Amino acid sequence: MSTTFKQRYRRSVGDPDLKPRLLTFQRSWRESRDAQVKRLEQRTERSFDDLRQEFAAVKDLTLEHWDDHIAQFRANAEAAGATVVELSTAEDAVNYISSVCKSRGIELIVKSKSMVSEEIELNHELEQRGIIAIETDLGEWLLQLAEERPSHLVMPAIHQKRQYVAEILGKELDREFDPDDIPAMVASARDGLRGHYLSAGAGLTGANALIAETGSIMVVTNEGNMRLATSLPDVHFVTAGIEKLIPSWADAERQLQLLPRSATAQTLSTYTTCITGAQPGKEMHIILLDNGRRQMRESDSIGDALRCIRCGACANVCPPYQVVGGHTFGHIYTGAVGLVNTTFHHGIEEAAGPQGLCVSCGACETVCPVAIPLPKQILDVRHRAHEAGHAPRWERAALRFWAKPSLFHHLMGLGALASGGARLFGLVRRDHLRLPLPRRLRWRSVPALPLRNGRTLVRSRKPQPPIAESPATGQAVDLFAQCLADRMLPTAVDAAARLIEAGGASVRIPQSQHCCGLPAFDAGDWESARTMARQTIEALEGGSNQIVTPAPSCVIAMQEHWPELFHDDPEMQQRASAVSRRVHDLAAWLDGPGRLPDGCLEEAENGSWTAHRFCQASNRGDPFARIDQLVERLTGESGLPLEEPEVCCGFGGLTSMAAPEVGQGILERKLACVAESGCDTLITNNPGCALHLRAGAVASGATHETMHYAEFLAERLPQNP
């Protein structure tokens, strides 16, 4: 069962059935979950965010007084007849369970609902000691028969198709199954497991919550097997992380409002089982496991992950998870939370590989029922992995190159000259080079670099006349072009400048600007990120009162990442803050009061359009992400609806280079939605998205045009006389 990250990655991208199955699941879950949340909000007359923040506060307060709650739980559980032990490591937990079994002559354990047992690799370790552990949850049992691990926190076998399940059951039960007769397979599994319940000496479960005020455990399930596993054997083991503690039954009720809706999109799971103490004449051993959890709590940036209630919602909205599944997007724990806690449970070596799959879209945080800031935490762990030497050499070299503006622009200039030569020889189609790419990269095309960058275009033309008198008249604006847009999408930079001028302001474009540091920050190379950020701060200091950029990703980097980069340098942090306070996204600036009147732009002849909204800004709830509303207001033209407009396009910075199959899978999902819309033009609001979507569309032969929305709007500006 032990495989490397690369082996798991190759296996998952080679499975042609995985992506469509997980896509169907994610879309179905999202629709059902959102409906459940809406009904909950109507019933409680409170928002989902209010409810989750309330329960997050409960979890945080419990963690602040961890030892007090552990002591209270222990006293009440032991008063009810249970034995409670707090253990530090996975080895301690295995040894404890093994010693109890040996002393009682137990050779068979039936298990149900315990991710902690997966965390400590209990089944394998007990087998080495002559004790057999049988999974009784249907999905877990199927995976045990197949010698696989769970790929999801709640639906462990979500990656398997029914044909494979029929094959596994057929081998185990020595009979043939019709893959389409799911009730027959479930019934046969029930028959196959019944004998184990009757002969097992011990049962083992996890716990969704440990209630301190009574020393009780609460387990939420959709199968009745857990009750058999806890009631029939003479010994009941409970394995739970110490973070599962909550103070009271009122808090358990709060958890039950959020957990089923977030996990399986149910109002309430089929079974909610609460157990207080041992049955008469039987034993109950509750194992409270640390295994890195106290270390997590000591980390200011990671401690909030201990709120996790193991619902799996972060995986259910994760675009890379839909492409590669949980075996790749995680280690033992899967999904976004697995990228965070694996470091503390299993070490940075096991956490490092999957970090490169995250596209930083932020969808995970929007659905987390305990408001864990997972995107920020993943970046922190990615930084730890980089510092530990786990970044690929090509990535380190690329970021060192990127951090040197003169070298970057020199090589980009050479690329532009080469692209010019390719045009002469007919090797450019739709502004992309016709190059023979490796098989892994043929889903995209390579942009032909323009000879003139964005800053040159802005300087080489007359200013755009203002459309009307506005509050911005007479003001000056510094334009931050963004490194990618400046060299690879210069028309978007020029279009941004023309729109600002149309809004009444003059445009100044600092020539020494380069990169805000986002590519390096996202990759975990914070040293290179600091170099880039410092250079940008120096370039933008002392300018006008407003800095505008057509790249919302840069706005987020400057306002959120710069403080983290310079937290040990108060002087630089103050300078960074002074610059970032002046930064505005282009859409937000254009939508400012009175700058561009409704319907002020002319009609164009480029047909219908739809909009992909930059995922990171959308998932943060930034109002400027709704570029479709801005375009409709300024042009009077209605856009076509786009399915999943805020789901990531797959660019994800260096992710589409480090894991091209992930970028391809997410992009194909997006392009299918675009094709279904029937649009002539796709617009988007981040330069990286525009480049990625355009390259994929050209390579796939799609006929629609892809534009940054600034280009789309600038085409409708009144032409200079």
Side-chain angles (χ1 to χ4, degrees):
M1 292 175 63
S2 179
T3 55
T4 67
F5 167 73
K6 287 185 178 180
Q7 288 172 327
R8 299 195 304 272
Y9 180 79
R10 293 192 188 105
R11 184 183 305 160
S12 65
V13 298
D15 183 349
D17 299 317
L18 185 64
K19 287 187 294 184
R21 282 203 308 277
L22 291 180
L23 178 58
T24 299
F25 158 69
Q26 284 195 343
R27 286 176 169 168
S28 174
W29 176 88
R30 188 63 197 249
E31 182 179 355
S32 300
R33 176 265 179 197
D34 288 353
Q36 285 286 357
V37 166
K38 183 177 181 180
R39 285 195 286 270
L40 175 65
E41 291 177 328
Q42 291 171 342
R43 183 175 66 80
T44 61
E45 297 183 345
R46 301 181 64 194
S47 70
F48 172 74
D49 192 57
D50 285 343
L51 293 169
R52 68 174 182 166
Q53 293 292 348
E54 179 182 89
F55 188 61
V58 169
K59 296 287 286 186
D60 288 345
L61 186 61
T62 306
L63 294 170
E64 287 176 16
H65 303 281
W66 222 346
D67 291 327
D68 293 340
H69 286 96
I70 290 174
Q72 182 186 16
F73 177 84
R74 179 195 294 272
N76 289 326
E78 289 181 343
T83 299
V84 180
V85 293
E86 185 178 357
L87 301 176
S88 297
T89 67
E91 183 180 8
D92 293 340
V94 172
N95 288 340
Y96 180 86
I97 295 170
S98 174
S99 65
V100 171
C101 289
K102 291 292 187 183
S103 66
R104 311 300 194 271
I106 295 171
E107 297 180 350
L108 177 64
I109 298 176
V110 284
K111 294 176 58 191
S112 175
K113 295 291 181 271
S114 174
M115 275 304 298
V116 165
S117 71
E118 293 287 346
E119 176 187 326
I120 64 179
E121 301 188 76
L122 182 64
N123 293 5
H124 172 74
E125 295 298 330
L126 289 181
E127 188 176 356
Q128 303 304 305
R129 294 163 170 79
I131 303 168
I132 302 300
I134 298 292
E135 302 288 351
T136 65
D137 301 320
L138 180 56
E140 291 271 13
W141 185 52
L142 292 170
L143 295 179
Q144 186 177 31
L145 295 177
E147 298 185 348
E148 293 186 20
R149 284 180 171 146
S151 66
H152 191 280
L153 293 176
V154 176
M155 292 157 277
I158 190 67
H159 62 287
Q160 291 293 11
K161 55 184 179 181
R162 62 185 183 276
Q163 291 82 359
Y164 188 53
V165 172
E167 180 183 341
I168 294 170
L169 282 177
K171 290 179 180 178
E172 174 67 15
L173 303 177
D174 195 24
R175 54 173 289 195
E176 290 188 4
F177 289 96
D178 179 355
D180 294 321
D181 193 350
I182 295 175
M185 288 192 281
V186 173
S188 67
R190 186 183 299 116
D191 293 339
L193 287 168
R194 184 170 292 130
H196 297 308
Y197 295 119
L198 299 174
S199 56
L204 184 144
T205 70
N208 292 99
L210 304 168
I211 295 92
E213 71 177 355
T214 57
S216 307
I217 72 164
M218 180 177 75
V219 187
V220 179
T221 69
N222 276 316
E223 302 174 51
N225 58 303
M226 180 265 175
R227 295 185 174 184
L228 290 174
T230 57
S231 60
L232 291 179
D234 290 335
V235 177
H236 175 200
F237 293 107
V238 179
T239 55
I242 50 180
E243 81 281 5
K244 294 296 182 68
L245 280 160
I246 55 176
S248 68
W249 284 106
D251 299 319
E253 182 180 358
R254 292 186 180 94
Q255 182 168 339
L256 287 174
Q257 283 185 321
L258 298 166
L259 176 58
R261 292 174 171 89
S262 299
T264 52
Q266 294 172 276
T267 303
L268 196 65
S269 296
T270 306
Y271 300 95
T272 300
T273 303
C274 303
I275 302 174
T276 305
Q279 300 179 61
K282 296 188 177 185
E283 301 177 42
M284 184 181 192
H285 297 259
I286 303 175
I287 298 161
L288 305 180
L289 183 65
D290 179 353
N291 199 33
R293 288 164 171 81
R294 290 187 182 274
Q295 183 186 1
M296 287 178 67
R297 184 58 186 167
E298 292 170 1
S299 170
D300 292 337
S301 59
I302 302 296
D304 291 343
L306 290 166
R307 299 174 188 162
C308 180
I309 56 176
R310 303 291 187 260
C311 66
C314 57
N316 299 349
V317 295
C318 175
Y321 182 96
Q322 181 259 317
V323 178
V324 297
H327 287 150
T328 306
F329 202 84
H331 177 57
I332 301 296
Y333 292 103
T334 63
V337 74
L339 297 186
V340 175
N341 62 18
T342 294
T343 299
F344 298 88
H345 299 328
H346 303 286
I348 193 66
E349 295 81 7
E350 298 293 354
Q355 297 300 320
L357 301 177
C358 175
V359 292
S360 298
C361 70
C364 49
E365 187 174 3
T366 67
V367 296
C368 176
V370 283
I372 301 172
L374 288 163
K376 180 180 178 181
Q377 293 177 346
I378 291 168
L379 291 174
D380 183 277
V381 173
R382 195 177 286 179
H383 172 55
R384 295 173 189 232
H386 187 278
E387 292 294 291
H390 293 289
R393 290 182 180 177
W394 70 265
E395 182 181 283
R396 289 176 178 268
L399 292 172
R400 294 294 188 271
F401 151 71
W402 210 315
K404 298 178 180 179
S406 59
L407 179 59
F408 178 88
H409 291 299
H410 178 70
L411 292 180
M412 283 290 186
L414 292 177
L417 290 174
S419 295
R423 287 187 176 91
L424 292 176
F425 288 97
L427 298 177
V428 174
R429 179 173 64 92
R430 293 178 64 183
D431 290 327
H432 284 71
L433 300 173
R434 301 173 64 180
L435 296 176
L437 296 175
R439 183 184 299 273
R440 296 181 71 194
L441 302 176
R442 289 177 190 167
W443 53 274
R444 67 171 60 160
S445 54
V446 178
L449 298 182
L451 288 174
R452 296 196 297 174
N453 62 22
R455 290 172 291 172
T456 302
L457 289 180
V458 175
R459 291 200 312 268
S460 64
R461 61 163 176 78
K462 295 180 180 179
Q464 176 75 36
I467 288 180
E469 188 77 15
S470 84
T473 300
Q475 295 180 1
V477 166
D478 284 351
L479 180 63
F480 182 71
Q482 198 237 28
C483 50
L484 281 180
D486 185 42
R487 294 303 321 200
M488 304 177 73
L489 202 64
T491 51
V493 176
D494 184 51
R498 292 180 61 202
L499 290 167
I500 294 169
E501 292 164 349
S506 62
V507 173
R508 171 180 173 268
I509 186 161
Q511 292 303 300
S512 59
Q513 64 175 280
H514 174 45
C515 178
C516 65
L518 177 60
F521 185 88
D522 272 359
D525 184 356
W526 291 8
E527 180 182 350
S528 295
R530 272 188 288 270
T531 298
M532 297 185 217
R534 186 177 288 107
Q535 191 271 339
T536 296
I537 291 165
E538 292 171 353
L540 297 177
E541 283 178 319
S544 63
N545 291 330
Q546 298 179 89
I547 302 167
V548 177
T549 178
S553 57
C554 294
V555 177
I556 295 170
M558 293 175 178
Q559 295 178 349
E560 293 197 0
H561 301 337
W562 280 3
E564 180 72 15
L565 281 175
F566 298 113
H567 73 279
D568 289 332
D569 186 342
E571 180 186 354
M572 200 66 212
Q573 190 175 62
Q574 186 175 7
R575 292 171 62 188
S577 177
V579 171
S580 65
R581 285 196 299 267
R582 295 158 48 210
V583 174
H584 305 275
D585 176 75
L586 174 65
W589 192 91
L590 294 176
D591 212 27
R595 285 178 181 148
L596 289 176
D598 292 357
C600 66
L601 301 183
E602 300 174 352
E603 292 187 10
E605 298 296 330
N606 54 4
S608 60
W609 61 273
T610 192
H612 162 68
R613 306 168 196 150
F614 175 49
C615 57
Q616 194 175 39
S618 296
N619 288 323
R620 287 160 38 94
D622 293 336
F624 59 73
R626 290 298 307 266
I627 54 167
D628 47 331
Q629 294 180 348
L630 173 65
V631 172
E632 288 179 353
R633 183 180 74 78
L634 296 180
T635 66
E637 302 171 10
S638 296
L640 296 174
L642 179 68
E643 186 179 6
E644 301 181 330
E646 296 170 352
V647 171
C648 182
C649 68
F651 176 58
L654 293 178
T655 296
S656 60
M657 295 298 295
E661 293 85 359
V662 171
Q664 176 184 7
I666 301 173
L667 179 64
E668 288 174 347
R669 174 178 179 174
K670 177 62 64 175
L671 290 180
C673 293
V674 174
E676 187 175 342
S677 76
C679 71
D680 297 305
T681 303
L682 171 67
I683 63 171
T684 186
N685 51 330
N686 205 47
C689 299
L691 290 166
H692 184 68
L693 288 162
R694 184 180 293 178
V698 171
S700 68
T703 58
H704 68 265
E705 293 297 323
T706 306
M707 307 176 73
H708 190 282
Y709 76 97
E711 299 174 283
F712 186 79
L713 292 175
E715 286 186 352
R716 290 158 169 73
L717 287 169
Q719 298 301 308
N720 288 338

